[in-house]
Amino acid sequence: MRILLWHVHGSWTNSFVQGDHDYLIVGPPDGIGLAGRPWRATETALSEVDADVAVVQRPEELGRVPPGVPVVYLEHNTPSAPGQRHPMADWDGPLVHVTHFNDLMWDCGSTRTIVVEHGVADPGPLYTGELARAAAVVNDPVRRGRIVGTDLLPRFDPIDVFGMNTEPIGGLGDHELGSLHRELARRRVYVHPVRWTSLGLSLIEAMHIGMPVVALACTEVVRAVPEDAGTVSTDVEELVRATRELIADPALAQEKGKRAREFALARYGLDAFLRNWDDVVEEVAG
């Protein structure tokens, strides 16, 4: 099928366009197009679109979908509070959530909701853990602050922070995906300090790489990280101790990272993700 979508979340889109459809990415002036990504997709102007279905990720995109093209709405984020009403509440189309936690927390009224959990293309067992340091990926840590746990990061020192606009806090900045994976793999443990966002793909990617994980037990993390892959807790001191233990014991870190990779491949593999999305778009397209 010909699937129309906007480039909103690069990591999610990178997985989505791995399927067997023709992917039409909205380009300027109505979208950012491929933005230099080497995807098997076509950048298109809305005026030239001939699509079978559209995947919409923001309310303002709804009015831009060409007439007659059926729509599925994709929600990436958690609500700001459990009682928040979704912009697409009481809508007559299907709404897809990326985690069960998000589905639980959003008030979607009578709108039919579906959960399609994340899937990522396997970067391979890259883990070496050669650097006795922790790593984290946090985009816009200054602007997002406590939401993404920026205030907690110094407690995990030595830690290298990757992501967009991390330079003001001494971070290493944004990296191309392959480069990011290679750099993460050199660090001994992955730290996920996020209090309240949807399940970050960087966490799942770190597990695929074979990194042990230390994470706050918030939102979907308790479902995404098994006990033998690291430590999950709301006790920050417990997480700090676990990080130090893993940094000090490369063999333990490697063993827990192996368990993390096995779980990630089984739960968040690309094949299941693409099959589930095939079911959604085929139903919506009729």
Side-chain angles (χ1 to χ4, degrees):
M1 287 188 289
R2 298 179 302 278
I3 302 176
L4 175 70
L5 72 156
W6 279 256
H7 177 175
V8 177
H9 291 277
S11 293
W12 180 89
T13 307
N14 182 67
S15 295
F16 186 69
V17 300
Q18 304 289 330
D20 295 325
H21 304 287
D22 293 328
Y23 301 95
L24 311 176
I25 311 291
V26 179
D30 299 297
I32 65 172
L34 298 176
R37 303 297 178 95
W39 292 331
R40 189 185 60 78
T42 303
E43 187 170 309
T44 185
L46 275 178
S47 59
E48 302 171 357
V49 166
D50 177 19
D52 298 304
V53 64
V55 176
V56 165
Q57 301 165 74
R58 296 169 294 192
E60 60 266 27
E61 295 171 4
L62 276 174
R64 300 176 183 174
V65 176
V69 177
V71 172
V72 55
Y73 193 98
L74 170 62
E75 179 56 69
H76 291 278
N77 301 315
T78 53
S80 58
Q84 185 178 356
R85 194 161 171 81
H86 196 277
M88 304 308 296
D90 300 329
W91 183 50
D92 59 0
L95 189 157
V96 175
H97 290 291
V98 296
T99 70
H100 290 278
F101 182 88
N102 292 359
D103 188 30
L104 172 69
M105 290 299 176
W106 275 109
D107 175 6
C108 294
S110 63
T111 301
R112 184 168 71 91
T113 62
I114 304 166
V115 176
V116 178
E117 294 189 289
H118 284 306
V120 302
D122 179 19
L126 304 177
Y127 181 70
T128 64
E130 64 202 73
L131 299 180
R133 303 177 64 83
V137 178
V138 180
N139 289 323
D140 295 311
V142 175
R143 177 178 63 83
R144 298 167 77 194
R146 284 177 57 84
I147 291 173
V148 292
T150 304
D151 58 305
L152 303 176
L153 289 169
R155 298 171 69 173
F156 293 93
D157 193 59
I159 186 168
D160 295 321
V161 184
F162 299 85
M164 294 183 292
N165 304 317
T166 54
E167 293 86 351
I169 64 167
L172 300 179
D174 197 17
H175 284 57
E176 179 272 328
L177 192 60
S179 172
L180 174 64
H181 291 161
R182 290 189 294 274
E183 288 301 318
L184 290 177
R186 299 178 64 211
R187 276 72 184 174
R188 195 154 297 163
V189 56
Y190 186 84
V191 172
H192 187 68
V194 175
R195 285 184 174 93
W196 189 261
T197 74
S198 193
L199 183 63
L201 281 169
S202 57
L203 170 65
I204 299 172
E205 289 164 356
M207 293 171 65
H208 270 82
I209 289 167
M211 298 186 75
V213 173
V214 170
L216 280 177
C218 299
T219 65
E220 188 81 355
V221 168
V222 294
R223 177 175 166 83
V225 181
E227 183 178 352
D228 58 358
T231 302
V232 175
S233 177
T234 55
D235 182 342
V236 179
E237 279 306 311
E238 181 183 353
L239 298 181
V240 170
R241 288 194 300 270
T243 301
R244 291 172 179 165
E245 180 183 3
L246 289 166
I247 287 177
D249 190 339
L252 176 65
Q254 186 172 42
E255 180 60 27
K256 287 185 177 292
K258 182 180 178 182
R259 301 281 84 80
R261 174 168 167 78
E262 291 172 352
F263 184 87
L265 287 171
R267 170 65 63 78
Y268 298 109
L270 192 60
D271 288 346
F273 171 79
L274 293 174
R275 284 198 306 270
N276 290 334
W277 267 106
D278 282 349
D279 292 341
V280 172
V281 296
E282 287 169 10
E283 175 191 331
V284 173

